[in-house]
């Protein structure tokens, strides 16, 4: 990964409910503008800014004319920004204002360094796998979406189970009642999939993860498949609705006979990297892993 050019046009995406982001967003924008960078912010978030006249307000389609998308917030803000960046095929830089910020490259106290390194082109870009999904109803209606972290088929009614089957590359693997199934990219393996008992996958591994959630079956283990695989999930429950979720957002409801097909997206996410920290180090620090174990200090 070679050094990059200084961005000339930047779109800022902020956390819509964090008032403390406003002042820092304005300082960041001012520093970039002083260096000749055109800075714009999404119109839906203009109310969170103290001086809205300081920025040119745009909608999400304007990212297509940007050189870089800059997300100020937690992982949720980065996920919202990821689709914009992927569609525009431009890099995405996340600055963490949240609790974990696993997807972010920098913290709020590093904004001065972030600006100087962006202006100097002192960063690299790392390509990450994303997911595409298509839900097909029994009436032929189709719903398509995209996700950076994960796609989930979940039960829509808390007290009921969802009967599903799973096919990998056209071969049926299993059928069971469950709370649902999560399909994650390597980047998303440390989110919903990991909480459901799935493995942690290094982001440069060319794979996808399939994780059943509380399945009633003898074979209901997480699976790691090649990223070129096609994963098909069918809903068989009669009288129980499912929900198709992409990066935490509901796309559509699912009923008996509906199918969901998940593949690697043709639009990857290009993440800005400024740190030489390894993924293993990031994993330990961001998740506060107890690396010593329970026997530490015992004979």
């Amino acid at each position: 990964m070679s050094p990059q050019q200084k961005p000339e046009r930047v779109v800022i995406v902020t956390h819509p409910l964090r008032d403390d982001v406003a002042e820092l967003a304005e300082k960041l924008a001012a520093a970039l503008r002083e260096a000749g960078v055109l800075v714009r912010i999404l119109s839906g978030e203009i109310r969170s800014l103290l001086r809205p006249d300081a920025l040119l307000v745009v909608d999400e389609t304007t990212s297509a004319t940007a050189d870089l998308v800059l997300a100020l917030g937690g992982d949720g803000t980065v996920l919202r920004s990821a689709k914009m960046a992927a569609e525009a095929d431009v890099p995405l830089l996340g600055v963490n204002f949240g609790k974990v910020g696993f997807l972010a490259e920098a913290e709020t106290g590093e904004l001065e360094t972030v600006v100087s390194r962006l202006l100097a082109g002192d960063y690299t870009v790392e390509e990450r796998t994303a997911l595409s999904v298509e839900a097909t109803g029994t009436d032929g209606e189709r719903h398509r979406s995209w996700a950076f972290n994960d796609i989930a088929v979940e039960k829509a009614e808390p007290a009921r189970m969802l009967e599903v089957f799973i096919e990998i590359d056209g071969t049926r693997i299993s059928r069971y009642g469950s709370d649902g199934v999560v399909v994650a990219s390597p980047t998303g393996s440390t989110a919903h999939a990991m909480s459901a008992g799935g493995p942690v996958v290094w982001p440069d591994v060319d794979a996808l993860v399939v994780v059943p959630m509380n399945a009633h079956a003898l074979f209901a283990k997480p699976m790691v498949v090649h990223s070129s695989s096609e994963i098909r999930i069918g809903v068989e429950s009669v009288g129980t609705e499912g929900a198709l979720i992409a990066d935490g957002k509901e796309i559509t409801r699912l009923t008996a006979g509906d199918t969901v097909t998940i593949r690697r997206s043709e639009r990857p996410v290009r993440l800005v990297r400024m740190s030489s920290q390894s993924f293993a180090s990031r994993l330990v620090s961001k998740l506060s892993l107890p690396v010593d174990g329970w026997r530490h200090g015992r004979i």
Side-chain angles (χ1 to χ4, degrees):
M1 295 182 291
S2 58
Q4 306 295 308
Q5 297 293 319
K6 164 192 166 183
E8 300 295 335
R9 299 161 298 180
V10 172
V11 170
I12 295 179
V13 182
T14 65
H15 192 299
L17 302 178
R18 291 286 299 270
D19 293 334
D20 56 342
V21 175
E23 185 176 354
L24 287 176
E26 291 175 353
K27 289 181 179 178
L28 179 61
L32 290 171
R33 285 199 311 273
E34 188 176 345
V37 178
L38 175 63
V39 183
R40 295 169 288 186
I41 193 165
L42 295 191
S43 57
E45 298 166 17
I46 198 66
R47 288 173 297 177
S48 67
L49 295 175
L50 300 176
R51 293 184 297 107
D53 58 325
L55 294 169
L56 178 62
V57 182
V58 296
D59 60 29
E60 293 188 12
T61 61
T62 312
S63 60
T65 61
D67 300 314
L68 184 138
V69 175
L70 205 161
L72 302 180
D75 285 336
T77 304
V78 175
L79 287 176
R80 289 194 299 119
S81 306
K83 186 174 183 180
M84 293 175 53
E87 288 177 344
D89 192 28
V90 298
L92 167 66
L93 172 60
V95 178
N96 181 37
F97 282 76
K99 296 179 180 178
V100 179
F102 204 94
L103 298 174
E105 181 62 13
E107 302 294 325
T108 55
E110 302 173 302
L111 282 179
E112 185 175 338
T113 300
V114 166
V115 170
S116 63
R117 292 188 63 174
L118 279 177
L119 296 176
D122 183 18
Y123 62 94
T124 57
V125 176
E126 183 177 289
E127 191 169 287
R128 296 285 186 91
T129 296
L131 305 170
S132 65
V133 61
E134 180 178 86
T136 304
T138 54
D139 58 359
E141 185 178 2
R142 298 175 186 271
H143 296 270
R144 295 181 178 88
S145 192
W146 179 96
F148 184 23
N149 264 358
D150 47 56
I151 303 289
V153 174
E154 301 181 5
K155 63 181 184 179
E157 302 171 54
R160 307 290 292 274
M161 297 197 71
L162 192 67
E163 296 285 342
V164 299
F165 68 78
I166 297 178
E167 293 179 357
I168 308 292
D169 294 327
T171 298
R172 184 161 298 197
I173 300 296
S174 197
R175 176 182 180 275
Y176 39 67
S178 66
D179 286 344
V181 182
V182 179
V183 178
S185 67
T187 300
S189 70
T190 52
H192 194 175
M194 183 181 70
S195 297
V200 173
V201 179
W202 263 233
D204 57 351
V205 175
D206 195 15
L208 304 178
V209 179
V210 183
V211 185
M213 295 187 289
N214 298 325
H216 284 210
L218 290 178
F219 180 75
K221 300 297 183 182
M223 295 178 286
V224 179
V225 303
H226 195 270
S227 66
S228 63
S229 293
E230 179 181 278
I231 302 159
R232 187 167 176 260
I233 303 169
V235 176
E236 298 186 325
S237 297
V238 176
T240 301
E241 276 193 322
L244 174 62
I245 311 293
D247 280 345
K249 180 180 179 181
E250 182 173 319
I251 305 303
T252 188
R253 288 296 174 99
L254 304 167
T255 56
D258 293 353
T259 59
V260 171
T261 303
I262 302 165
R263 303 179 182 90
R264 175 181 57 194
S265 173
E266 295 180 355
R267 300 182 319 224
V269 176
R270 299 169 59 204
L271 287 183
V272 169
R273 286 290 175 232
M274 293 182 172
S275 170
S276 60
Q277 183 184 37
S278 68
F279 177 73
S281 296
R282 180 182 293 266
L283 194 68
V284 171
S285 62
K286 291 289 187 179
L287 300 183
S288 301
L289 297 183
V291 295
D292 291 327
W294 66 272
R295 294 185 62 180
H296 178 65
R298 300 188 183 189
I299 298 177

